Amino acid sequence: MIVAQQLTKRYGEKTAVDRLDFTVKPGTVTGFLGPNGAGKSTTMRMIVGLDAPSGGSVVVNGRRYAEHAAPLQEVGALLEAKSIHPGRSAFNHLNSLALTHGIPRRRVDEVIEMTGIESVARRRAGAFSLGMGQRLGIAAALLGDPATIMLDEPVNGLDPEGVLWIRNLLTGLAEEGRTVFVSSHLMSEMALTADHLIVVGRGRLLADTTVKELIRRSGGDTVRVACADPARLRELLAGPGVDITGHAGSEELEVTGMAARSIGFKAAEHNIALFELSTKGVSLEEAFMELTRDEVEYHGTTHTAARTAEPVGSAA
Ligand SMILES: Nc1ncnc2c1ncn2[C@@H]1O[C@H](COP(=O)(O)OP(=O)(O)OP(=O)(O)O)[C@@H](O)[C@H]1O
């Protein structure tokens, strides 16, 4: 379990992490989302004591990382995949970590097998592809068989097979009752892997909720209905928690707070012919964009030509 209370990090004038309160619980995969520069890596670095908070605190299983007698066996982290001596083999890297942390040699073989790097384990890590480097970083994170696993962008550089492998690994670790905290910019992947989400923007907490709830709040449970008697159906569906919009003279209604199935039954019960009954699909990506729209620090444009260039087709 990871608990942050009023966690704050300032770099000079810049507040990278701004009074964050959140809890990452065991037994589920918690996604850590936010636009570039939102403060995710800084938060993760503070969790494992690589950065000191300017204010507030963060503890893992009740203690600050440095206060644990065997931190590697408490929290396994992948922060910077390539922070490995380039001349050292993957095996030697893991073995030296194991030796200095009292971890048995057989665990090194186990994590090499778990992460699928057997065939390259004796090669120097400097020659590893991005994906292999990620796998080695994950092997190191799992080495101490920790109850808490924290991975910063683990799918970065992985091929589709690797992405699927990570998804199964993370959900498997959570099913074993571990605390799994993972950042990613790949929303479609997060939607498949994470149950819970912590979303930050400009260092502040924007949401601490489930994937389902975040999508629902973005209108993901809106049902569009077109029927023969919208005024009557509106009366029939009205109730606590149900929100209905529609224009006078239109056959269409938009209903939130009631499942399409219940709406269909209600209409059938009162012999109202339906022409359309569809649930509006909102992806996690759309929900995330809506939530963080005002919090994006680095905006891009889609202009590709230099602004001073002559309009296409103009005479030279
Ligand atoms: N050592 C540092 N010195 C000064 N500013 C820093 C330092 N580390 C991070 N920052 C700033 O703090 C803010 C948060 O950065 P951080 O890397 O934690 O964001 P992030 O959410 O991980 O971003 P990304 O998704 O791009 O990895 C950024 O504005 C960044 O420029």
Side-chain angles (χ1 to χ4, degrees):
M1 175 122 87
I2 304 170
V3 180
Q5 286 177 317
Q6 293 290 294
L7 186 64
T8 301
K9 181 69 188 178
R10 284 181 221 97
Y11 294 109
E13 293 287 289
K14 172 95 200 169
T15 304
V17 175
D18 196 359
R19 291 162 290 156
L20 279 189
D21 286 311
F22 64 81
T23 299
V24 186
K25 297 195 186 83
T28 66
V29 176
T30 301
F32 194 26
L33 311 181
N36 288 132
K40 303 178 297 295
S41 300
T42 305
T43 302
M44 287 182 151
R45 289 171 61 79
M46 288 193 282
I47 293 172
V48 289
L50 289 171
D51 255 333
S54 315
S57 66
V58 63
V59 293
V60 181
N61 295 336
R63 287 183 192 181
R64 285 192 294 118
Y65 185 80
E67 290 168 353
H68 285 287
L72 209 64
Q73 274 112 311
E74 205 71 40
V75 191
L78 167 78
L79 294 184
E80 180 82 45
K82 288 255 167 175
S83 59
I84 295 161
H85 191 295
R88 207 176 251 181
S89 75
F91 174 82
N92 284 341
H93 170 68
L94 294 169
N95 203 35
S96 56
L97 270 179
L99 281 171
T100 49
H101 289 83
I103 295 165
R105 154 76 205 267
R106 81 182 131 71
R107 182 66 185 160
V108 174
D109 296 327
E110 267 172 33
V111 295
I112 285 177
E113 197 194 320
M114 277 170 84
T115 52
I117 56 171
E118 298 101 319
S119 62
V120 293
R122 301 281 171 180
R123 277 205 240 147
R124 53 180 208 92
F128 275 24
S129 66
L130 186 55
M132 278 300 155
Q134 288 291 84
R135 284 174 185 257
L136 175 56
I138 292 165
L142 298 175
L143 194 62
D145 199 14
T148 300
I149 293 105
M150 189 174 75
L151 309 174
D152 197 2
E153 297 279 351
V155 293
N156 192 12
L158 293 183
D159 57 19
E161 189 273 329
V163 173
L164 180 64
W165 168 73
I166 282 276
R167 191 189 308 158
N168 292 333
L169 176 78
L170 297 182
T171 47
L173 290 167
E175 273 164 20
E176 289 168 12
R178 298 178 208 253
T179 302
V180 182
F181 192 39
V182 52
S183 79
S184 181
H185 286 292
L186 286 182
M187 294 299 140
S188 53
E189 197 43 46
M190 276 287 110
L192 292 171
T193 314
D195 312 298
H196 201 88
L197 296 175
I198 290 167
V199 188
V200 287
R202 295 186 198 264
R204 289 187 306 265
L205 188 71
L206 298 181
D208 180 348
T209 185
T210 60
V211 174
K212 235 174 154 175
E213 176 61 18
L214 189 69
I215 289 175
R216 198 195 62 75
R217 266 199 264 155
S218 286
D221 71 341
T222 301
V223 180
R224 198 201 314 270
V225 193
C227 69
D229 191 350
R232 175 91 183 107
L233 187 63
R234 201 175 176 137
E235 280 171 23
L236 293 167
L237 300 179
V242 181
D243 195 27
I244 308 167
T245 55
H247 299 290
S250 162
E251 294 176 336
E252 285 178 17
L253 297 174
E254 289 216 332
V255 185
T256 50
M258 190 180 263
R261 193 180 164 81
S262 311
I263 298 169
F265 274 129
K266 194 61 118 180
E269 203 182 301
H270 293 85
N271 289 320
I272 299 173
L274 291 185
F275 313 138
E276 184 188 343
L277 182 66
S278 58
T279 304
K280 204 164 120 188
V282 171
S283 66
L284 178 59
E285 182 148 33
E286 287 165 315
F288 173 81
M289 300 285 261
E290 189 183 313
L291 183 68
T292 60
R293 194 182 300 136
D294 302 327
E295 310 294 336
V296 176
E297 200 162 350
Y298 307 106
H299 285 280
T301 73
T302 47
H303 296 292
T304 50
R307 292 200 180 249
T308 51
E310 289 290 322
V312 175
S314 67

